[in-house]
Amino acid sequence: MFLRVTALAFGLAELLAPRRVVDFWMALATDDDGELRSWIYTAARIEGVLLVLWALTRGRSGGS
C-alpha cells in the first residue's frame, strides 16, 4: 500500500511538473551545470503516467 501511494504521488509530480522533478534530481546527481536534452522532460512525463497507471490499477488485479 505504501509503495502504491508513493508511486502515485511521485507519478503525479512528474506528470504535472516534470521540469522541477528532473531538475531536482539532476542537481543532486551532478556537480556541473550540464545541459539536458529536450526530450528528457517528455520522458519524465511518460514515466509519471506509467507510475500513476500502475498505482491506480495495482489494487484491481487482486494483488497487494
Side-chain angles (χ1 to χ4, degrees):
M1 177 70 174
F2 176 74
L3 183 60
R4 261 195 330 217
V5 172
T6 303
L8 180 62
F10 190 72
L12 285 173
E14 275 193 317
L15 184 61
L16 299 175
R19 186 169 299 273
R20 289 183 68 186
V21 173
V22 169
D23 290 346
F24 171 77
W25 288 111
M26 287 304 295
L28 287 178
T30 61
D31 289 333
D32 59 351
D33 192 26
E35 188 135 349
L36 297 176
R37 307 224 182 230
S38 61
W39 56 265
I40 197 71
Y41 301 111
T42 302
R45 257 200 187 112
I46 292 169
E47 182 183 38
V49 168
L50 293 175
L51 285 170
V52 168
L53 288 175
W54 177 83
L56 293 177
T57 60
R58 179 80 173 147
R60 295 183 187 165
S61 65
S64 54

